[in-house]
Amino acid sequence: LAKTTQPISMDSYEGQEVNITCSHNNIATNDYITWYQQFPSQGPRFIIQGYKTKVTNEVASLFIPADRKSSTLSLPRVSLSDTAVYYCLVALTPGGYNKLIFGAGTRLAVHP
Amino acid sequence: GAGVSQSPSNKVTEKGKDVELRCDPISGHTALYWYRQSLGQGLEFLIYFQGNSAPDKSGLPSDRFSAERTGGSVSTLTIQRTQQEDSAVYLCASSQGLAVTYEQYFGPGTRLTVT
């Protein structure tokens, strides 16, 4: 199993860029790296997914180095509403199915 | 269109009772997943369904837990003889398919409290 390790918590201020790094040393060749966001009393919500190099969407960017043993989620110019728990996941692909293993996540607190 | 819905939103039950939790996935989604989230913890995979294939039950914590999916749509998670350690938020998710590139859409969850 590809276990992920990420900081337990982070603090930032409105307007700053936030980078959350996740390590996944045992990532397998077919594994994708996926990030989810969870607000209190809600289910997680997909943010971004990537396999290698860089992926960008309207919400975030995901940077994955060549060895794929880590990845960094970048949130540009955070606001108070970005306060949430962020989960880094390495999707298990035995048989090709999408079985997500969630870790403890990173609690991001954005301050005024 | 509507997202994933779950009912009830909250359930309080006495130890030893059976409970049923319901999940209505997004229409057309063939894959359906159940997770459990204990207070302050990450999500724990329980079971998934894909179309008419046999479900992957590898995450079910004990034989008191079972789930079914009727007609490839609605799913019910049943916990028999509930224990206090079963108290958690039970989350359901659905996706267009099992391929890892399909994102999972989560429902709001059912908060189960066993007294």
Side-chain angles (χ1 to χ4, degrees), chain A residues 36 38 49 87 91 98-99, chain B residues 37 56 58 98 100 102 104:
Chain A
Y36 278 75
Q38 186 177 26
Q49 183 181 75
Y87 294 98
N98 189 352
K99 177 174 163 180
Chain B
Q37 186 169 33
D56 177 352
S58 61
L98 280 185
V100 69
Y102 288 123
Q104 295 189 15

Side-chain angles (χ1 to χ4, degrees), chain B residues 20-75:
Chain B
E20 284 189 352
L21 312 179
R22 176 187 169 106
C23 172
D24 284 84
I26 293 173
S27 178
H29 280 191
T30 59
L32 185 148
Y33 313 79
W34 284 98
Y35 296 87
R36 178 170 70 173
Q37 186 169 33
S38 301
L39 185 63
Q41 301 298 311
L43 279 75
E44 174 188 5
F45 168 81
L46 297 177
I47 187 171
Y48 87 84
F49 298 86
Q50 166 59 14
N52 295 319
S53 303
D56 177 352
K57 305 179 182 180
S58 61
L60 294 179
S62 77
D63 57 8
R64 296 186 295 104
F65 287 73
S66 63
E68 63 177 18
R69 188 179 185 191
T70 55
S73 181
V74 172
S75 177

Side-chain angles (χ1 to χ4, degrees), chain A residues 22 24 27 29 31-35 48-57 60-74:
Chain A
C22 176
H24 26 79
I27 190 168
T29 303
D31 286 341
Y32 280 72
I33 299 155
T34 311
W35 287 78
I48 197 166
Q49 183 181 75
Y51 184 79
K52 62 180 180 180
T53 63
K54 176 184 175 182
V55 179
T56 297
N57 61 23
S61 294
L62 178 61
F63 298 92
I64 306 169
D67 65 6
R68 304 200 328 123
K69 293 184 182 298
S70 67
S71 59
T72 300
L73 174 72
S74 181

